[in-house]
mmCIF file of all heavy atoms in Angstrom:
data_model
loop_
_atom_site.group_PDB
_atom_site.id
_atom_site.type_symbol
_atom_site.label_atom_id
_atom_site.label_comp_id
_atom_site.label_asym_id
_atom_site.label_seq_id
_atom_site.Cartn_x
_atom_site.Cartn_y
_atom_site.Cartn_z
ATOM 1 N N GLY A 294 -82.363 14.477 -166.917
ATOM 2 C CA GLY A 294 -81.055 15.128 -166.926
ATOM 3 C C GLY A 294 -81.146 16.566 -166.455
ATOM 4 O O GLY A 294 -82.228 17.096 -166.192
ATOM 5 N N TYR A 295 -80.001 17.210 -166.355
ATOM 6 C CA TYR A 295 -79.978 18.594 -165.859
ATOM 7 C C TYR A 295 -80.452 19.572 -166.928
ATOM 8 O O TYR A 295 -79.994 19.563 -168.063
ATOM 9 C CB TYR A 295 -78.563 18.977 -165.428
ATOM 10 C CG TYR A 295 -78.042 18.207 -164.243
ATOM 11 C CD1 TYR A 295 -77.134 17.171 -164.412
ATOM 12 C CD2 TYR A 295 -78.458 18.514 -162.950
ATOM 13 C CE1 TYR A 295 -76.645 16.456 -163.327
ATOM 14 C CE2 TYR A 295 -77.971 17.800 -161.848
ATOM 15 C CZ TYR A 295 -77.067 16.772 -162.048
ATOM 16 O OH TYR A 295 -76.592 16.059 -160.971
ATOM 17 N N ASP A 296 -81.384 20.412 -166.551
ATOM 18 C CA ASP A 296 -81.833 21.543 -167.369
ATOM 19 C C ASP A 296 -82.441 22.545 -166.388
ATOM 20 O O ASP A 296 -83.635 22.821 -166.417
ATOM 21 C CB ASP A 296 -82.854 21.096 -168.418
ATOM 22 C CG ASP A 296 -83.129 22.175 -169.458
ATOM 23 O OD1 ASP A 296 -82.475 23.243 -169.405
ATOM 24 O OD2 ASP A 296 -84.010 21.961 -170.321
ATOM 25 N N HIS A 297 -81.575 23.077 -165.522
ATOM 26 C CA HIS A 297 -82.025 23.837 -164.360
ATOM 27 C C HIS A 297 -81.223 25.120 -164.170
ATOM 28 O O HIS A 297 -80.044 25.197 -164.530
ATOM 29 C CB HIS A 297 -81.908 22.977 -163.090
ATOM 30 C CG HIS A 297 -82.788 21.768 -163.087
ATOM 31 N ND1 HIS A 297 -82.491 20.637 -163.818
ATOM 32 C CD2 HIS A 297 -83.968 21.519 -162.454
ATOM 33 C CE1 HIS A 297 -83.449 19.728 -163.635
ATOM 34 N NE2 HIS A 297 -84.347 20.241 -162.813
ATOM 35 N N ASN A 298 -81.887 26.077 -163.579
ATOM 36 C CA ASN A 298 -81.266 27.355 -163.251
ATOM 37 C C ASN A 298 -80.654 27.300 -161.853
ATOM 38 O O ASN A 298 -81.318 26.892 -160.887
ATOM 39 C CB ASN A 298 -82.306 28.469 -163.313
ATOM 40 C CG ASN A 298 -81.775 29.781 -162.770
ATOM 41 O OD1 ASN A 298 -80.898 30.397 -163.354
ATOM 42 N ND2 ASN A 298 -82.289 30.224 -161.625
ATOM 43 N N PHE A 299 -79.403 27.727 -161.767
ATOM 44 C CA PHE A 299 -78.717 27.799 -160.485
ATOM 45 C C PHE A 299 -78.652 29.257 -160.029
ATOM 46 O O PHE A 299 -78.319 30.150 -160.825
ATOM 47 C CB PHE A 299 -77.324 27.192 -160.590
ATOM 48 C CG PHE A 299 -77.349 25.682 -160.674
ATOM 49 C CD1 PHE A 299 -77.740 25.038 -161.842
ATOM 50 C CD2 PHE A 299 -77.012 24.905 -159.579
ATOM 51 C CE1 PHE A 299 -77.790 23.660 -161.921
ATOM 52 C CE2 PHE A 299 -77.056 23.514 -159.629
ATOM 53 C CZ PHE A 299 -77.451 22.893 -160.799
ATOM 54 N N VAL A 300 -78.973 29.472 -158.770
ATOM 55 C CA VAL A 300 -78.986 30.823 -158.192
ATOM 56 C C VAL A 300 -77.582 31.135 -157.704
ATOM 57 O O VAL A 300 -77.128 30.593 -156.686
ATOM 58 C CB VAL A 300 -79.998 30.899 -157.027
ATOM 59 C CG1 VAL A 300 -79.997 32.298 -156.417
ATOM 60 C CG2 VAL A 300 -81.390 30.517 -157.506
ATOM 61 N N LEU A 301 -76.884 31.966 -158.432
ATOM 62 C CA LEU A 301 -75.480 32.227 -158.126
ATOM 63 C C LEU A 301 -75.330 32.972 -156.806
ATOM 64 O O LEU A 301 -76.114 33.870 -156.492
ATOM 65 C CB LEU A 301 -74.834 33.011 -159.261
ATOM 66 C CG LEU A 301 -74.826 32.284 -160.625
ATOM 67 C CD1 LEU A 301 -74.256 33.189 -161.711
ATOM 68 C CD2 LEU A 301 -74.047 30.970 -160.540
ATOM 69 N N ASN A 302 -74.293 32.594 -156.068
ATOM 70 C CA ASN A 302 -74.048 33.231 -154.770
ATOM 71 C C ASN A 302 -73.726 34.711 -154.923
ATOM 72 O O ASN A 302 -73.962 35.501 -154.006
ATOM 73 C CB ASN A 302 -72.899 32.527 -154.044
ATOM 74 C CG ASN A 302 -73.248 31.092 -153.667
ATOM 75 O OD1 ASN A 302 -74.422 30.738 -153.566
ATOM 76 N ND2 ASN A 302 -72.241 30.262 -153.476
ATOM 77 N N SER A 303 -73.207 35.090 -156.088
ATOM 78 C CA SER A 303 -72.837 36.492 -156.332
ATOM 79 C C SER A 303 -74.051 37.405 -156.402
ATOM 80 O O SER A 303 -73.933 38.616 -156.225
ATOM 81 C CB SER A 303 -72.061 36.609 -157.642
ATOM 82 O OG SER A 303 -72.888 36.222 -158.733
ATOM 83 N N LYS A 304 -75.234 36.832 -156.718
ATOM 84 C CA LYS A 304 -76.511 37.556 -156.839
ATOM 85 C C LYS A 304 -76.553 38.515 -158.025
ATOM 86 O O LYS A 304 -77.532 39.232 -158.229
ATOM 87 C CB LYS A 304 -76.845 38.318 -155.544
ATOM 88 C CG LYS A 304 -76.954 37.431 -154.320
ATOM 89 C CD LYS A 304 -77.393 38.196 -153.103
ATOM 90 C CE LYS A 304 -77.381 37.338 -151.860
ATOM 91 N NZ LYS A 304 -78.221 36.139 -151.951
ATOM 92 N N GLY A 305 -75.499 38.569 -158.816
ATOM 93 C CA GLY A 305 -75.487 39.417 -160.005
ATOM 94 C C GLY A 305 -75.094 40.842 -159.709
ATOM 95 O O GLY A 305 -74.993 41.261 -158.558
ATOM 96 N N GLY A 306 -74.829 41.603 -160.755
ATOM 97 C CA GLY A 306 -74.485 43.018 -160.612
ATOM 98 C C GLY A 306 -73.023 43.308 -160.828
ATOM 99 O O GLY A 306 -72.665 44.352 -161.377
#
Side-chain angles (χ1 to χ4, degrees):
Y295 294 103
D296 192 4
H297 296 76
N298 171 68
F299 286 74
V300 179
L301 299 176
N302 294 338
S303 63
K304 301 185 185 302

